[in-house]
Amino acid sequence: TPPAGWVLPGPGAGASEPARPPAAPGDGRSVAERLRELQALYEEGLLTAAEFEAKRRSLLAEL
C-alpha cells in the first residue's frame, strides 16, 4: 500500500508501474483529470468519504 495521498497506477497499467506521489499544481494534468483520478481512488475504496471530499474541494479551489 502506498503512502497516504499517493496515486496507484490506473486500470491496465503494468504491474511494475510504481505508485507515484500526489500531483503538484502545474504538473501538466488538468483539474478534471485529477478529479477523475480522485473519484477512481474513492470508488476503489482507497479513500474515505472525508478524504475524498477534502481533496475534491481543494482541487475545485484551483479552478
PDB file of all heavy atoms in Angstrom, residues 22-51:
ATOM      1  N   PRO A  22       1.563  12.373  -4.852  1.00  0.00           N
ATOM      2  CA  PRO A  22       0.450  13.210  -5.274  1.00  0.00           C
ATOM      3  C   PRO A  22       0.915  14.282  -6.245  1.00  0.00           C
ATOM      4  O   PRO A  22       2.041  14.754  -6.182  1.00  0.00           O
ATOM      5  CB  PRO A  22      -0.054  13.834  -3.976  1.00  0.00           C
ATOM      6  CG  PRO A  22       0.861  13.417  -2.905  1.00  0.00           C
ATOM      7  CD  PRO A  22       1.828  12.420  -3.446  1.00  0.00           C
ATOM      8  N   ALA A  23       0.032  14.632  -7.141  1.00  0.00           N
ATOM      9  CA  ALA A  23       0.366  15.636  -8.157  1.00  0.00           C
ATOM     10  C   ALA A  23       0.512  17.012  -7.533  1.00  0.00           C
ATOM     11  O   ALA A  23      -0.262  17.404  -6.679  1.00  0.00           O
ATOM     12  CB  ALA A  23      -0.720  15.672  -9.213  1.00  0.00           C
ATOM     13  N   ALA A  24       1.515  17.688  -7.969  1.00  0.00           N
ATOM     14  CA  ALA A  24       1.710  19.072  -7.545  1.00  0.00           C
ATOM     15  C   ALA A  24       1.015  19.978  -8.542  1.00  0.00           C
ATOM     16  O   ALA A  24       0.895  19.631  -9.717  1.00  0.00           O
ATOM     17  CB  ALA A  24       3.197  19.387  -7.496  1.00  0.00           C
ATOM     18  N   PRO A  25       0.547  21.134  -8.094  1.00  0.00           N
ATOM     19  CA  PRO A  25      -0.053  22.057  -9.051  1.00  0.00           C
ATOM     20  C   PRO A  25       0.934  22.334 -10.189  1.00  0.00           C
ATOM     21  O   PRO A  25       2.129  22.454  -9.973  1.00  0.00           O
ATOM     22  CB  PRO A  25      -0.301  23.320  -8.222  1.00  0.00           C
ATOM     23  CG  PRO A  25      -0.396  22.828  -6.819  1.00  0.00           C
ATOM     24  CD  PRO A  25       0.541  21.643  -6.750  1.00  0.00           C
ATOM     25  N   GLY A  26       0.414  22.391 -11.403  1.00  0.00           N
ATOM     26  CA  GLY A  26       1.268  22.662 -12.549  1.00  0.00           C
ATOM     27  C   GLY A  26       2.014  21.446 -13.053  1.00  0.00           C
ATOM     28  O   GLY A  26       2.981  21.571 -13.778  1.00  0.00           O
ATOM     29  N   ASP A  27       1.576  20.241 -12.688  1.00  0.00           N
ATOM     30  CA  ASP A  27       2.275  19.032 -13.138  1.00  0.00           C
ATOM     31  C   ASP A  27       1.855  18.611 -14.539  1.00  0.00           C
ATOM     32  O   ASP A  27       2.292  17.584 -15.028  1.00  0.00           O
ATOM     33  CB  ASP A  27       2.071  17.887 -12.148  1.00  0.00           C
ATOM     34  CG  ASP A  27       0.684  17.274 -12.207  1.00  0.00           C
ATOM     35  OD1 ASP A  27      -0.227  17.898 -12.785  1.00  0.00           O
ATOM     36  OD2 ASP A  27       0.510  16.170 -11.677  1.00  0.00           O
ATOM     37  N   GLY A  28       1.010  19.392 -15.188  1.00  0.00           N
ATOM     38  CA  GLY A  28       0.611  19.082 -16.550  1.00  0.00           C
ATOM     39  C   GLY A  28      -0.759  18.434 -16.650  1.00  0.00           C
ATOM     40  O   GLY A  28      -1.332  18.385 -17.723  1.00  0.00           O
ATOM     41  N   ARG A  29      -1.271  17.908 -15.556  1.00  0.00           N
ATOM     42  CA  ARG A  29      -2.603  17.303 -15.591  1.00  0.00           C
ATOM     43  C   ARG A  29      -3.634  18.361 -15.243  1.00  0.00           C
ATOM     44  O   ARG A  29      -3.428  19.174 -14.355  1.00  0.00           O
ATOM     45  CB  ARG A  29      -2.700  16.143 -14.601  1.00  0.00           C
ATOM     46  CG  ARG A  29      -1.830  14.972 -15.007  1.00  0.00           C
ATOM     47  CD  ARG A  29      -1.947  13.806 -14.067  1.00  0.00           C
ATOM     48  NE  ARG A  29      -1.584  14.227 -12.722  1.00  0.00           N
ATOM     49  CZ  ARG A  29      -2.180  13.769 -11.624  1.00  0.00           C
ATOM     50  NH1 ARG A  29      -3.139  12.892 -11.699  1.00  0.00           N
ATOM     51  NH2 ARG A  29      -1.802  14.184 -10.439  1.00  0.00           N
ATOM     52  N   SER A  30      -4.755  18.318 -15.921  1.00  0.00           N
ATOM     53  CA  SER A  30      -5.822  19.282 -15.644  1.00  0.00           C
ATOM     54  C   SER A  30      -6.529  18.916 -14.343  1.00  0.00           C
ATOM     55  O   SER A  30      -6.421  17.789 -13.845  1.00  0.00           O
ATOM     56  CB  SER A  30      -6.834  19.284 -16.791  1.00  0.00           C
ATOM     57  OG  SER A  30      -7.591  18.088 -16.786  1.00  0.00           O
ATOM     58  N   VAL A  31      -7.261  19.878 -13.819  1.00  0.00           N
ATOM     59  CA  VAL A  31      -8.058  19.622 -12.623  1.00  0.00           C
ATOM     60  C   VAL A  31      -9.061  18.515 -12.909  1.00  0.00           C
ATOM     61  O   VAL A  31      -9.277  17.633 -12.077  1.00  0.00           O
ATOM     62  CB  VAL A  31      -8.758  20.911 -12.136  1.00  0.00           C
ATOM     63  CG1 VAL A  31      -9.764  20.611 -11.031  1.00  0.00           C
ATOM     64  CG2 VAL A  31      -7.740  21.932 -11.651  1.00  0.00           C
ATOM     65  N   ALA A  32      -9.632  18.515 -14.110  1.00  0.00           N
ATOM     66  CA  ALA A  32     -10.597  17.472 -14.468  1.00  0.00           C
ATOM     67  C   ALA A  32      -9.960  16.086 -14.415  1.00  0.00           C
ATOM     68  O   ALA A  32     -10.567  15.135 -13.901  1.00  0.00           O
ATOM     69  CB  ALA A  32     -11.174  17.745 -15.857  1.00  0.00           C
ATOM     70  N   GLU A  33      -8.747  15.964 -14.924  1.00  0.00           N
ATOM     71  CA  GLU A  33      -8.051  14.668 -14.884  1.00  0.00           C
ATOM     72  C   GLU A  33      -7.789  14.255 -13.438  1.00  0.00           C
ATOM     73  O   GLU A  33      -7.960  13.084 -13.079  1.00  0.00           O
ATOM     74  CB  GLU A  33      -6.724  14.756 -15.636  1.00  0.00           C
ATOM     75  CG  GLU A  33      -6.889  14.865 -17.138  1.00  0.00           C
ATOM     76  CD  GLU A  33      -5.577  15.197 -17.836  1.00  0.00           C
ATOM     77  OE1 GLU A  33      -4.803  16.028 -17.330  1.00  0.00           O
ATOM     78  OE2 GLU A  33      -5.343  14.597 -18.896  1.00  0.00           O
ATOM     79  N   ARG A  34      -7.362  15.188 -12.644  1.00  0.00           N
ATOM     80  CA  ARG A  34      -7.077  14.878 -11.243  1.00  0.00           C
ATOM     81  C   ARG A  34      -8.345  14.527 -10.480  1.00  0.00           C
ATOM     82  O   ARG A  34      -8.333  13.644  -9.615  1.00  0.00           O
ATOM     83  CB  ARG A  34      -6.326  16.041 -10.605  1.00  0.00           C
ATOM     84  CG  ARG A  34      -4.924  16.154 -11.225  1.00  0.00           C
ATOM     85  CD  ARG A  34      -4.232  17.465 -11.035  1.00  0.00           C
ATOM     86  NE  ARG A  34      -4.136  17.887  -9.661  1.00  0.00           N
ATOM     87  CZ  ARG A  34      -3.943  19.153  -9.295  1.00  0.00           C
ATOM     88  NH1 ARG A  34      -3.810  20.091 -10.205  1.00  0.00           N
ATOM     89  NH2 ARG A  34      -3.860  19.473  -8.033  1.00  0.00           N
ATOM     90  N   LEU A  35      -9.482  15.174 -10.818  1.00  0.00           N
ATOM     91  CA  LEU A  35     -10.757  14.814 -10.193  1.00  0.00           C
ATOM     92  C   LEU A  35     -11.180  13.406 -10.581  1.00  0.00           C
ATOM     93  O   LEU A  35     -11.691  12.652  -9.745  1.00  0.00           O
ATOM     94  CB  LEU A  35     -11.840  15.820 -10.580  1.00  0.00           C
ATOM     95  CG  LEU A  35     -11.782  17.165  -9.877  1.00  0.00           C
ATOM     96  CD1 LEU A  35     -12.703  18.165 -10.555  1.00  0.00           C
ATOM     97  CD2 LEU A  35     -12.124  17.033  -8.402  1.00  0.00           C
ATOM     98  N   ARG A  36     -10.956  13.045 -11.847  1.00  0.00           N
ATOM     99  CA  ARG A  36     -11.282  11.675 -12.283  1.00  0.00           C
ATOM    100  C   ARG A  36     -10.457  10.649 -11.518  1.00  0.00           C
ATOM    101  O   ARG A  36     -10.959   9.604 -11.108  1.00  0.00           O
ATOM    102  CB  ARG A  36     -11.055  11.526 -13.786  1.00  0.00           C
ATOM    103  CG  ARG A  36     -12.151  12.109 -14.613  1.00  0.00           C
ATOM    104  CD  ARG A  36     -11.972  11.755 -16.099  1.00  0.00           C
ATOM    105  NE  ARG A  36     -12.494  12.847 -16.898  1.00  0.00           N
ATOM    106  CZ  ARG A  36     -11.783  13.824 -17.444  1.00  0.00           C
ATOM    107  NH1 ARG A  36     -10.473  13.838 -17.338  1.00  0.00           N
ATOM    108  NH2 ARG A  36     -12.356  14.776 -18.124  1.00  0.00           N
ATOM    109  N   GLU A  37      -9.173  10.927 -11.354  1.00  0.00           N
ATOM    110  CA  GLU A  37      -8.303  10.014 -10.600  1.00  0.00           C
ATOM    111  C   GLU A  37      -8.755   9.917  -9.147  1.00  0.00           C
ATOM    112  O   GLU A  37      -8.766   8.833  -8.562  1.00  0.00           O
ATOM    113  CB  GLU A  37      -6.858  10.481 -10.672  1.00  0.00           C
ATOM    114  CG  GLU A  37      -6.243  10.301 -12.042  1.00  0.00           C
ATOM    115  CD  GLU A  37      -4.814  10.798 -12.099  1.00  0.00           C
ATOM    116  OE1 GLU A  37      -4.248  11.179 -11.056  1.00  0.00           O
ATOM    117  OE2 GLU A  37      -4.256  10.812 -13.211  1.00  0.00           O
ATOM    118  N   LEU A  38      -9.120  11.049  -8.576  1.00  0.00           N
ATOM    119  CA  LEU A  38      -9.600  11.071  -7.204  1.00  0.00           C
ATOM    120  C   LEU A  38     -10.859  10.226  -7.062  1.00  0.00           C
ATOM    121  O   LEU A  38     -10.978   9.426  -6.130  1.00  0.00           O
ATOM    122  CB  LEU A  38      -9.869  12.524  -6.788  1.00  0.00           C
ATOM    123  CG  LEU A  38     -10.318  12.745  -5.357  1.00  0.00           C
ATOM    124  CD1 LEU A  38      -9.194  12.404  -4.387  1.00  0.00           C
ATOM    125  CD2 LEU A  38     -10.769  14.188  -5.166  1.00  0.00           C
ATOM    126  N   GLN A  39     -11.791  10.377  -7.996  1.00  0.00           N
ATOM    127  CA  GLN A  39     -13.024   9.601  -7.983  1.00  0.00           C
ATOM    128  C   GLN A  39     -12.716   8.103  -8.059  1.00  0.00           C
ATOM    129  O   GLN A  39     -13.313   7.302  -7.348  1.00  0.00           O
ATOM    130  CB  GLN A  39     -13.934  10.014  -9.142  1.00  0.00           C
ATOM    131  CG  GLN A  39     -15.238   9.251  -9.212  1.00  0.00           C
ATOM    132  CD  GLN A  39     -16.193   9.599  -8.099  1.00  0.00           C
ATOM    133  OE1 GLN A  39     -16.232  10.742  -7.659  1.00  0.00           O
ATOM    134  NE2 GLN A  39     -16.961   8.634  -7.650  1.00  0.00           N
ATOM    135  N   ALA A  40     -11.784   7.733  -8.921  1.00  0.00           N
ATOM    136  CA  ALA A  40     -11.418   6.325  -9.056  1.00  0.00           C
ATOM    137  C   ALA A  40     -10.842   5.774  -7.753  1.00  0.00           C
ATOM    138  O   ALA A  40     -11.178   4.663  -7.340  1.00  0.00           O
ATOM    139  CB  ALA A  40     -10.415   6.143 -10.192  1.00  0.00           C
ATOM    140  N   LEU A  41     -10.010   6.548  -7.093  1.00  0.00           N
ATOM    141  CA  LEU A  41      -9.449   6.110  -5.812  1.00  0.00           C
ATOM    142  C   LEU A  41     -10.547   5.902  -4.778  1.00  0.00           C
ATOM    143  O   LEU A  41     -10.536   4.941  -4.009  1.00  0.00           O
ATOM    144  CB  LEU A  41      -8.424   7.127  -5.296  1.00  0.00           C
ATOM    145  CG  LEU A  41      -7.121   7.217  -6.081  1.00  0.00           C
ATOM    146  CD1 LEU A  41      -6.300   8.405  -5.581  1.00  0.00           C
ATOM    147  CD2 LEU A  41      -6.330   5.931  -5.961  1.00  0.00           C
ATOM    148  N   TYR A  42     -11.514   6.820  -4.772  1.00  0.00           N
ATOM    149  CA  TYR A  42     -12.633   6.705  -3.835  1.00  0.00           C
ATOM    150  C   TYR A  42     -13.470   5.463  -4.142  1.00  0.00           C
ATOM    151  O   TYR A  42     -13.804   4.693  -3.244  1.00  0.00           O
ATOM    152  CB  TYR A  42     -13.490   7.973  -3.896  1.00  0.00           C
ATOM    153  CG  TYR A  42     -14.719   7.904  -3.024  1.00  0.00           C
ATOM    154  CD1 TYR A  42     -14.603   7.892  -1.637  1.00  0.00           C
ATOM    155  CD2 TYR A  42     -15.986   7.841  -3.577  1.00  0.00           C
ATOM    156  CE1 TYR A  42     -15.723   7.824  -0.827  1.00  0.00           C
ATOM    157  CE2 TYR A  42     -17.111   7.771  -2.780  1.00  0.00           C
ATOM    158  CZ  TYR A  42     -16.968   7.763  -1.399  1.00  0.00           C
ATOM    159  OH  TYR A  42     -18.081   7.684  -0.605  1.00  0.00           O
ATOM    160  N   GLU A  43     -13.778   5.256  -5.414  1.00  0.00           N
ATOM    161  CA  GLU A  43     -14.583   4.102  -5.813  1.00  0.00           C
ATOM    162  C   GLU A  43     -13.881   2.789  -5.524  1.00  0.00           C
ATOM    163  O   GLU A  43     -14.538   1.775  -5.280  1.00  0.00           O
ATOM    164  CB  GLU A  43     -14.950   4.202  -7.293  1.00  0.00           C
ATOM    165  CG  GLU A  43     -15.952   5.304  -7.572  1.00  0.00           C
ATOM    166  CD  GLU A  43     -16.218   5.538  -9.041  1.00  0.00           C
ATOM    167  OE1 GLU A  43     -15.583   4.873  -9.901  1.00  0.00           O
ATOM    168  OE2 GLU A  43     -17.059   6.403  -9.340  1.00  0.00           O
ATOM    169  N   GLU A  44     -12.554   2.781  -5.549  1.00  0.00           N
ATOM    170  CA  GLU A  44     -11.788   1.571  -5.244  1.00  0.00           C
ATOM    171  C   GLU A  44     -11.653   1.350  -3.740  1.00  0.00           C
ATOM    172  O   GLU A  44     -11.072   0.361  -3.300  1.00  0.00           O
ATOM    173  CB  GLU A  44     -10.401   1.651  -5.883  1.00  0.00           C
ATOM    174  CG  GLU A  44     -10.446   1.593  -7.397  1.00  0.00           C
ATOM    175  CD  GLU A  44      -9.087   1.860  -8.027  1.00  0.00           C
ATOM    176  OE1 GLU A  44      -8.056   1.679  -7.344  1.00  0.00           O
ATOM    177  OE2 GLU A  44      -9.060   2.247  -9.201  1.00  0.00           O
ATOM    178  N   GLY A  45     -12.168   2.286  -2.948  1.00  0.00           N
ATOM    179  CA  GLY A  45     -12.120   2.147  -1.505  1.00  0.00           C
ATOM    180  C   GLY A  45     -10.795   2.554  -0.891  1.00  0.00           C
ATOM    181  O   GLY A  45     -10.499   2.215   0.246  1.00  0.00           O
ATOM    182  N   LEU A  46      -9.984   3.293  -1.644  1.00  0.00           N
ATOM    183  CA  LEU A  46      -8.679   3.706  -1.155  1.00  0.00           C
ATOM    184  C   LEU A  46      -8.722   5.041  -0.418  1.00  0.00           C
ATOM    185  O   LEU A  46      -7.728   5.438   0.192  1.00  0.00           O
ATOM    186  CB  LEU A  46      -7.674   3.776  -2.309  1.00  0.00           C
ATOM    187  CG  LEU A  46      -7.457   2.434  -3.020  1.00  0.00           C
ATOM    188  CD1 LEU A  46      -6.601   2.624  -4.259  1.00  0.00           C
ATOM    189  CD2 LEU A  46      -6.824   1.439  -2.068  1.00  0.00           C
ATOM    190  N   LEU A  47      -9.848   5.731  -0.493  1.00  0.00           N
ATOM    191  CA  LEU A  47     -10.041   6.993   0.218  1.00  0.00           C
ATOM    192  C   LEU A  47     -11.356   6.918   0.982  1.00  0.00           C
ATOM    193  O   LEU A  47     -12.323   6.331   0.496  1.00  0.00           O
ATOM    194  CB  LEU A  47     -10.149   8.172  -0.763  1.00  0.00           C
ATOM    195  CG  LEU A  47      -8.942   8.533  -1.597  1.00  0.00           C
ATOM    196  CD1 LEU A  47      -9.315   9.635  -2.587  1.00  0.00           C
ATOM    197  CD2 LEU A  47      -7.803   8.992  -0.720  1.00  0.00           C
ATOM    198  N   THR A  48     -11.385   7.533   2.151  1.00  0.00           N
ATOM    199  CA  THR A  48     -12.647   7.650   2.875  1.00  0.00           C
ATOM    200  C   THR A  48     -13.460   8.770   2.239  1.00  0.00           C
ATOM    201  O   THR A  48     -12.935   9.580   1.466  1.00  0.00           O
ATOM    202  CB  THR A  48     -12.417   7.990   4.355  1.00  0.00           C
ATOM    203  OG1 THR A  48     -11.835   9.304   4.427  1.00  0.00           O
ATOM    204  CG2 THR A  48     -11.524   6.971   5.045  1.00  0.00           C
ATOM    205  N   ALA A  49     -14.731   8.842   2.580  1.00  0.00           N
ATOM    206  CA  ALA A  49     -15.582   9.914   2.062  1.00  0.00           C
ATOM    207  C   ALA A  49     -15.032  11.274   2.487  1.00  0.00           C
ATOM    208  O   ALA A  49     -15.036  12.221   1.697  1.00  0.00           O
ATOM    209  CB  ALA A  49     -17.017   9.735   2.547  1.00  0.00           C
ATOM    210  N   ALA A  50     -14.540  11.376   3.708  1.00  0.00           N
ATOM    211  CA  ALA A  50     -13.991  12.646   4.195  1.00  0.00           C
ATOM    212  C   ALA A  50     -12.727  13.034   3.442  1.00  0.00           C
ATOM    213  O   ALA A  50     -12.544  14.203   3.076  1.00  0.00           O
ATOM    214  CB  ALA A  50     -13.709  12.554   5.692  1.00  0.00           C
ATOM    215  N   GLU A  51     -11.847  12.062   3.181  1.00  0.00           N
ATOM    216  CA  GLU A  51     -10.625  12.346   2.414  1.00  0.00           C
ATOM    217  C   GLU A  51     -10.970  12.786   0.993  1.00  0.00           C
ATOM    218  O   GLU A  51     -10.399  13.739   0.467  1.00  0.00           O
ATOM    219  CB  GLU A  51      -9.730  11.099   2.352  1.00  0.00           C
ATOM    220  CG  GLU A  51      -9.110  10.732   3.668  1.00  0.00           C
ATOM    221  CD  GLU A  51      -8.440   9.367   3.632  1.00  0.00           C
ATOM    222  OE1 GLU A  51      -8.943   8.451   2.941  1.00  0.00           O
ATOM    223  OE2 GLU A  51      -7.406   9.219   4.303  1.00  0.00           O
TER     224      GLU A  51
END
